[in-house]
Structure formats: C-alpha cells, structure tokens
Amino acid sequence: MTQHDAAKAASPMPSREAAANIVFLAVVACFFFSGFAALIYQAAWLKKLGVLFGTSHIAVATVLAAYMGGLAMGAGLAAKFIDRVNRPVFTYGILEAVIGVSAVLVPLALTGAQGLLVLLFGNQPEPVSADGAWQSLYYLLATFLVLVIPTAAMGATLPLLSRYAITEDEQVGPRIGLLYGVNTMGAVLGALAAGFIFLPQLGLYGALFVGAFVNLIVFGIAVILSRTAKARDNDKGPSVPAASTAPSFHWVLPVMLVSGAVSFTLEVLWTRLLSHVFGGTVYAFSIMLASFLPGIALGG
C-alpha cells in the first residue's frame, strides 16, 4: 500500500449514513425556523382579527379554531397522498414558499371579508349586534377559508418530513418527537418576537414580511438539501410499511380528540385572564403561547 493509499484509508470520506444524518439535522433546523415563522403569522392574524371583531376572546377563539382546523386538514391530506411523493424534502420546500406568500395576503383577504359582511348586512334599520351568532359564524367561516391555504400547507409539513426522516420502526418516536419539539421551540420564540418586537416595531405587514422572509429562506435551503441528499437516492422517501396494514381506528383517537379540545379551551381562557393583567390581546396571547408551548416541546 502506498503512502497516498494509507492516507486515504486513515481519513475516509463521510459514509452515506453520516451524510444522511447531516441532511437530517439541516432539515430539523429548517423545521425550527418554520415554527418560528408560523407563530409570527398567528400573532399577526390575531391582531388583524381583533380589529375586525372588536372582541378579543372571540378573535382568539376564531384564530385558534381556523388555524388548527387548517393544520388538521393539511396533515390529513398529506397522510392520504404521501405515498405518491418521491421528493419529500423538495415538496416541503415548496410548501414553505406557499406558506410565506399566502400568509402575507391574509390581512387583505380578511379586509375583503369585512367588506363583504358590510355589503350583505349593511343598510339595516338598526345596528347589528356584534355578539350575534350569525355574525360570529360568518367570521369563523370566513377566517377558516382565508387561512386554509397557509395553515393546510403548515399541517402537511410534518408528515412529509417524517416520511424522509424515518427509515426504521425504531425511529418513529424519537425522530417525530425531535421534529415536533424543535418546531414547537421555534414557535415559542416566534410568538415572543412577534408580540414584543415585530408587531410593535414593524407593524402588521412588517411582521408578516419577516415571517415570509424566513419561509423563503427555508424554501431555498430545502431545495439545496433535496439536490445534495445523495445518501437517500436524490431525496426519495424511504420504504415504509403500507398504511393499509394498520387499523383505521384506534381507541386512543377519541381520547386525543377530547385532550385537544380541553387544551385549546384552556388556551382561550388563559389568554382572557392574562389580558386583564397585560391589557393587550397580542401581548397576552404571546405570553400565553410562550408559557404553553415549551411544555409541549419538552414533552415531545
């Protein structure tokens, strides 16, 4: 063996597994910034809805309901079509770009919904009650329709990244927990930054543009990762057991449904209580999320 060959043997090139781990860590970092941007949007949308509603707790409930409904829809659609996705990291990057562009347009769409409400219910013989059930239902439906594109795209990101990240059954818990926990910690910082820095200093659209800029950076990184992930056959998803082999219903699902309902009921109530202390809905909302989400992240 020559001296050159001995040197090569002593310092081998990174293995395919090591390269895949590096790409996975980069994807985890992208998911952190994705969570950061998502909570900037949530706080900004709440600010806009608070102006439209004029009632803070209804705005909080509406934003949370529409936001989580969109996440659930996106996750459900991703689970249905995920086996057809051959490039999950690249598709994830596309979703991040969609989130950034559509999130900036949400306040304009909400203003349009307000104008439509005036067109439909204006010129009444007496003022319409702001607490009316029909008006609240209209705002809920309009907000869901306006938020459905960015929130559904957000909801689809975790299933897509899980498809890339998980190659063995033993990785399901650790890697999904890591992705979810890192994303949630990013959301904590995003909630605080939005409530105490971006919205007060940059205004509504300034905060939204910061979030969109972060999403577009993540999009660029994801595109680069999808081209360099040679350890996973050019970003193709791993072979996983077919979803049809698992039962379609499990007893734990209704338990999770009730748990989620209780959790978000508490979020609305805690925001309401904190608003009496801090005086501003966005401040109270940001502090509530910054207290609520770290527990979720640590649990994940």
Side-chain angles (χ1 to χ4, degrees):
M1 178 182 293
T2 65
Q3 185 176 2
H4 176 71
D5 291 336
K8 283 185 66 177
S11 57
M13 295 293 291
S15 66
R16 291 169 63 87
E17 183 179 356
N21 288 335
I22 292 173
V23 174
F24 172 69
L25 290 177
V27 168
V28 170
C30 287
F31 215 42
F32 172 86
F33 290 108
S34 177
F36 179 82
L39 265 293
I40 293 176
Y41 298 141
Q42 194 173 4
W45 296 338
L46 174 66
K47 182 73 172 178
K48 179 65 176 179
L49 272 177
V51 174
L52 296 180
F53 276 115
T55 308
S56 60
H57 68 282
I58 296 179
V60 172
T62 301
V63 166
L64 289 176
Y67 188 91
M68 299 307 297
L71 292 183
M73 177 182 292
L77 290 173
K80 189 176 183 63
F81 297 103
I82 196 169
D83 289 335
R84 304 179 187 179
V85 178
N86 292 324
R87 304 180 65 193
V89 175
F90 179 79
T91 306
Y92 163 72
I94 295 296
L95 288 175
E96 288 291 332
V98 170
I99 293 168
V101 174
S102 59
V104 174
L105 299 177
V106 164
L108 295 177
L110 289 175
T111 301
Q114 173 75 0
L116 180 60
L117 178 67
V118 173
L119 182 64
L120 293 174
F121 297 101
N123 298 320
Q124 301 295 316
E126 59 184 18
V128 179
S129 173
D131 296 328
W134 289 109
Q135 186 172 347
S136 297
L137 179 62
Y138 173 84
Y139 275 124
L140 180 62
L141 293 176
T143 303
F144 178 80
L145 291 175
V146 169
L147 297 186
V148 69
I149 293 179
T151 55
M154 292 176 190
T157 56
L158 181 59
L160 280 170
L161 290 185
S162 298
R163 175 174 173 79
Y164 172 80
I166 296 170
T167 58
E168 301 173 3
D169 289 342
E170 293 77 9
Q171 296 174 342
V172 172
R175 291 205 167 185
I176 289 183
L178 176 62
L179 286 170
Y180 189 72
V182 167
N183 181 258
T184 306
M185 287 307 298
V188 172
L189 295 180
L192 291 173
F196 291 92
I197 300 175
F198 297 143
L199 284 170
Q201 300 297 324
L202 303 178
L204 177 66
Y205 282 100
L208 289 173
F209 281 123
V210 170
F213 180 71
V214 172
N215 279 132
L216 292 178
I217 290 177
V218 172
F219 161 72
I221 295 173
V223 170
I224 295 172
L225 290 176
S226 70
R227 293 177 178 176
T228 57
K230 296 180 181 179
R232 302 303 279 283
D233 295 328
N234 292 326
D235 195 22
K236 290 182 180 178
S239 299
V240 294
S244 59
T245 61
S248 58
F249 180 81
H250 195 278
W251 65 266
V252 78
L253 297 179
V255 177
M256 294 176 68
L257 178 70
V258 174
S259 175
V262 172
S263 297
F264 280 85
T265 300
L266 292 174
E267 280 202 36
V268 176
L269 293 176
W270 290 338
T271 303
R272 179 74 167 172
L273 289 172
L274 286 171
S275 66
H276 293 296
V277 179
F278 295 101
T281 304
V282 173
Y283 293 120
F285 188 66
S286 298
I287 292 171
M288 181 276 297
L289 288 176
S291 304
F292 183 89
L293 293 175
I296 295 178
L298 290 173

